[in-house]
Structure formats: C-alpha cells, structure tokens
Amino acid sequence: MSSRTWSRLLPAALLLPTLTGCAFGAYLNPSTSLERALNGTYEGIGVGGTGRVPYRLVLSVQEREGRASGVMTNLESRKAYAVSGKFQRGENGGGIDVGLFEEGNKYRGTLRGQITGTKFSGVLRTVLLGRELLGYNVTLDKQTGEYVPPPAAATPAPAPVTPVPTPP
C-alpha cells in the first residue's frame, strides 16, 4: 500500500475502538459480594452517659480501597453526621473505624466497630475540643425491604348523609 492510503486508513483505524464503543473491563462488577452484603441502612440503639439514643447508619464500604463512608443520624435530635474512614475485611463481615463530621469539616466523633452478618456493634465516642469524651455502646441491625412511610393521621369518617325531608 502506498503511504497515501496508510495516511487515510490510520486515523480511521485509531478511531474504530472509540466509535464502536470499545469497553475493555465493562464486564467487571463494580462492587464485590461483601460490599453488597454490608452496604445499606442499619438502625438501633446507643447506650451511654445520656441514656438510650436511637441511631441510623447509612453505610457504604469499598472493600478494595479499604474505605467506609456514609451518614450517621441521631434519630432523637435529628442531627446527621458524615462518616468517613477505614474498612477492614473480617470473618463474616468487617470492621470500620470512621470519623464523624458535622457540616462537612467539623470533627464531632468516632465510630469503631464490627459488622457480623446483619449486625453492627461498636462504640461511638463524641469529641469536644479535640478529645474523645462521652462513649456509647452502639448496636445496630441492618434494615431490609423498602421504606414504608408512617401512616397518615386517622381522620374521622364522614357522617352518613341523610336526605332532607321535603314538605308535602
């Protein structure tokens, strides 16, 4: 072939993978079976210096990177904290060691614990002036199924309509 033919074919040959949607690695599953088993919403109780406090943890772990992130919500005060830190694979689950942050950058606490099966158990410690103070023993259970909103307030049934008598 002449150099002129090559100069016409080469750009087209180089564009072929792009134009045909070449997707090396497109069939790699983005999450592992452990990630699918652990990721989700956990709810339960923390018991500590101020009594029993209900918590919700929405957790996402990245097994390959050894990272955990999500949101921890105090269901009593309705305060939510971003969580970010380490994940370590373990037997039947894994462990997390994360920091709690308010408004994205205010360090408010730590959460350390183990996930075994569908249960998380660990310790939540609040931080004040850079020191861990109050500790709560936290036990959370993974929630399954879809969210079902609470029922609306019951409204009384309307009174039956009685026909108005008409004068003769």
Side-chain angles (χ1 to χ4, degrees):
M1 287 189 189
S2 70
S3 64
R4 183 178 178 130
T5 306
W6 279 110
S7 67
R8 288 185 183 180
L9 289 177
L10 187 59
L14 293 174
L15 284 175
L16 187 61
T18 304
L19 296 174
T20 60
C22 178
F24 291 112
Y27 298 103
L28 292 177
N29 194 343
S31 63
T32 67
S33 60
L34 180 63
E35 290 170 350
R36 287 189 300 276
L38 299 182
N39 292 348
T41 302
Y42 295 80
E43 288 188 3
I45 301 292
V47 179
T50 60
R52 295 171 56 89
V53 180
Y55 287 103
R56 176 182 297 137
L57 173 64
V58 179
L59 182 66
S60 175
V61 298
Q62 296 84 35
E63 180 182 8
R64 293 176 187 116
E65 292 83 20
R67 304 284 306 153
S69 60
V71 177
M72 181 82 163
T73 305
N74 177 326
L75 296 175
E76 193 172 87
S77 69
R78 297 289 186 201
K79 281 195 160 194
Y81 304 91
V83 299
S84 178
K86 299 176 185 175
F87 169 75
Q88 178 68 44
R89 181 186 175 112
E91 193 172 318
N92 297 326
I96 62 171
D97 184 356
V98 295
L100 280 72
F101 300 90
E102 188 176 20
E103 297 176 11
N105 63 352
K106 296 176 184 169
Y107 182 55
R108 296 295 189 227
T110 60
L111 178 64
R112 295 178 182 102
Q114 295 293 316
I115 303 169
T116 305
T118 60
K119 292 198 176 288
F120 171 83
S121 58
V123 176
L124 170 69
R125 294 200 183 276
T126 60
V127 172
L128 184 62
L129 301 174
R131 300 187 63 152
E132 292 184 8
L133 297 177
L134 292 175
Y136 293 86
N137 291 321
V138 178
T139 305
L140 309 173
D141 293 309
K142 187 169 184 186
Q143 303 299 298
T144 57
E146 294 183 24
Y147 172 74
V148 178
T155 57
V161 178
T162 55
V164 177
T166 56

